[in-house]
Coordinates of all heavy atoms in Angstrom, one line a residue:
D449 N -15.8 15.8 0.5 CA -14.4 15.6 0.7 C -14.2 14.5 1.7 O -14.1 14.7 3.0 CB -13.8 16.9 1.3 CG -12.3 16.8 1.5 OD1 -11.7 15.8 1.0 OD2 -11.7 17.6 2.3
S450 N -14.2 13.3 1.2 CA -14.1 12.1 2.1 C -13.4 11.0 1.3 O -13.6 10.8 0.1 CB -15.5 11.6 2.5 OG -15.4 10.4 3.2
D451 N -12.6 10.3 2.1 CA -11.8 9.2 1.5 C -12.4 7.8 1.6 O -11.8 6.8 1.1 CB -10.4 9.1 2.2 CG -9.5 10.4 1.9 OD1 -9.7 11.0 0.8 OD2 -8.7 10.7 2.8
D452 N -13.6 7.8 2.2 CA -14.2 6.5 2.4 C -15.6 6.3 1.7 O -16.4 5.6 2.2 CB -14.3 6.3 3.9 CG -14.6 4.8 4.3 OD1 -14.2 3.9 3.5 OD2 -15.1 4.5 5.4
I453 N -15.7 7.0 0.6 CA -16.9 6.8 -0.2 C -16.8 5.6 -1.1 O -15.7 5.3 -1.5 CB -17.2 8.1 -1.0 CG1 -17.5 9.3 -0.1 CG2 -18.3 7.9 -2.0 CD1 -17.4 10.6 -0.9
I454 N -17.9 4.9 -1.4 CA -17.8 3.7 -2.2 C -18.7 3.9 -3.4 O -19.8 4.3 -3.3 CB -18.2 2.5 -1.4 CG1 -17.2 2.2 -0.3 CG2 -18.3 1.3 -2.3 CD1 -17.7 1.1 0.7
A455 N -18.2 3.6 -4.6 CA -18.9 3.6 -5.8 C -18.7 2.3 -6.5 O -17.5 2.0 -6.9 CB -18.6 4.8 -6.7
S456 N -19.7 1.4 -6.6 CA -19.5 0.1 -7.2 C -20.4 -0.1 -8.4 O -21.6 0.3 -8.3 CB -19.8 -1.0 -6.1 OG -19.8 -2.3 -6.7
T457 N -19.9 -0.7 -9.4 CA -20.7 -1.0 -10.6 C -21.6 -2.2 -10.4 O -22.4 -2.6 -11.2 CB -19.9 -1.2 -11.9 OG1 -18.9 -2.2 -11.6 CG2 -19.2 0.1 -12.3
E458 N -21.5 -2.8 -9.2 CA -22.3 -3.9 -8.8 C -23.4 -3.5 -7.8 O -23.2 -2.5 -7.0 CB -21.5 -5.1 -8.2 CG -20.5 -5.6 -9.1 CD -19.6 -6.7 -8.5 OE1 -19.9 -7.0 -7.3 OE2 -18.8 -7.3 -9.2
E459 N -24.5 -4.1 -7.8 CA -25.6 -3.8 -6.9 C -25.2 -4.3 -5.5 O -24.8 -5.5 -5.4 CB -26.9 -4.3 -7.3 CG -27.5 -3.7 -8.6 CD -28.9 -4.1 -8.9 OE1 -29.3 -5.2 -8.4 OE2 -29.6 -3.5 -9.7
V460 N -25.4 -3.5 -4.5 CA -25.2 -3.9 -3.1 C -26.6 -4.2 -2.5 O -27.3 -3.2 -2.3 CB -24.4 -2.9 -2.3 CG1 -24.2 -3.4 -0.9 CG2 -23.0 -2.7 -3.0
E461 N -26.9 -5.4 -2.2 CA -28.3 -5.8 -1.8 C -28.7 -5.0 -0.6 O -29.9 -4.6 -0.5 CB -28.3 -7.3 -1.5 CG -28.2 -8.1 -2.7 CD -29.4 -8.0 -3.7 OE1 -30.5 -7.7 -3.2 OE2 -29.2 -8.1 -4.9
K462 N -27.8 -4.6 0.3 CA -28.2 -3.9 1.5 C -28.9 -2.6 1.3 O -29.6 -2.1 2.1 CB -27.0 -3.8 2.5 CG -26.5 -5.0 3.1 CD -25.4 -4.7 4.1 CE -25.0 -6.0 4.8 NZ -23.9 -5.7 5.9
F463 N -28.5 -2.0 0.1 CA -29.0 -0.7 -0.2 C -30.2 -0.7 -1.2 O -30.6 0.4 -1.7 CB -27.9 0.2 -0.7 CG -26.8 0.5 0.3 CD1 -25.6 -0.1 0.2 CD2 -27.1 1.2 1.5 CE1 -24.6 0.1 1.1 CE2 -26.1 1.4 2.4 CZ -24.8 0.8 2.3
K464 N -30.7 -1.9 -1.5 CA -31.8 -2.0 -2.5 C -33.2 -1.8 -1.8 O -34.1 -1.3 -2.4 CB -31.8 -3.3 -3.2 CG -30.6 -3.4 -4.2 CD -30.6 -4.7 -5.0 CE -31.8 -4.7 -5.9 NZ -31.7 -5.9 -6.8
S465 N -33.2 -2.2 -0.5 CA -34.5 -2.0 0.2 C -34.2 -1.9 1.7 O -33.1 -2.3 2.2 CB -35.4 -3.2 0.0 OG -34.8 -4.4 0.5
G466 N -35.1 -1.2 2.4 CA -34.8 -1.0 3.9 C -35.4 0.4 4.3 O -36.2 0.9 3.6
Q467 N -34.9 0.9 5.4 CA -35.4 2.2 5.9 C -34.9 3.3 5.1 O -33.6 3.5 4.9 CB -35.0 2.3 7.4 CG -35.4 3.7 7.9 CD -36.9 3.9 7.9 OE1 -37.6 3.1 8.5 NE2 -37.3 5.0 7.3
K468 N -35.8 4.1 4.5 CA -35.4 5.3 3.7 C -35.1 6.4 4.7 O -35.9 6.6 5.6 CB -36.4 5.7 2.7 CG -36.6 4.7 1.6 CD -37.6 5.1 0.6 CE -37.8 4.1 -0.6 NZ -38.8 4.6 -1.6
V469 N -34.0 7.1 4.5 CA -33.6 8.2 5.4 C -33.1 9.4 4.6 O -32.8 9.3 3.4 CB -32.6 7.8 6.4 CG1 -33.1 6.7 7.3 CG2 -31.3 7.4 5.6
R470 N -33.0 10.5 5.3 CA -32.4 11.7 4.7 C -31.3 12.2 5.7 O -31.5 12.2 6.9 CB -33.4 12.9 4.6 CG -32.9 14.2 4.1 CD -33.9 15.3 4.0 NE -35.0 14.9 3.0 CZ -36.2 14.5 3.4 NH1 -36.5 14.4 4.6 NH2 -37.1 14.3 2.4
I471 N -30.2 12.5 5.1 CA -29.1 13.0 5.9 C -29.3 14.5 6.1 O -29.4 15.3 5.1 CB -27.7 12.7 5.3 CG1 -27.5 11.2 5.1 CG2 -26.6 13.3 6.2 CD1 -26.2 10.8 4.4
T472 N -29.3 15.0 7.4 CA -29.7 16.4 7.7 C -28.5 17.3 8.0 O -28.6 18.5 8.0 CB -30.6 16.4 8.8 OG1 -30.0 15.8 10.0 CG2 -31.9 15.7 8.5
E473 N -27.3 16.7 8.4 CA -26.2 17.5 8.7 C -24.9 16.8 8.2 O -24.9 15.7 7.8 CB -26.1 17.5 10.3 CG -27.2 18.2 11.0 CD -27.1 18.2 12.5 OE1 -26.0 18.7 12.9 OE2 -28.0 17.8 13.2
G474 N -23.8 17.6 8.2 CA -22.5 17.1 7.8 C -22.3 17.2 6.3 O -23.1 17.8 5.6
K475 N -21.2 16.7 5.8 CA -20.8 16.8 4.4 C -21.7 16.1 3.4 O -21.7 16.4 2.2 CB -19.4 16.3 4.2 CG -19.2 14.8 4.5 CD -17.7 14.4 4.4 CE -16.9 14.9 5.5 NZ -15.5 14.5 5.4

Side-chain angles (χ1 to χ4, degrees):
D449 183 16
S450 176
D451 294 330
D452 198 22
I453 294 167
I454 295 170
S456 172
T457 54
E458 298 180 358
E459 291 186 345
V460 178
E461 290 294 327
K462 289 186 176 183
F463 296 109
K464 291 184 68 173
S465 62
Q467 178 61 56
K468 293 183 179 180
V469 299
R470 178 183 294 106
I471 300 176
T472 59
E473 299 180 50
K475 64 183 68 177

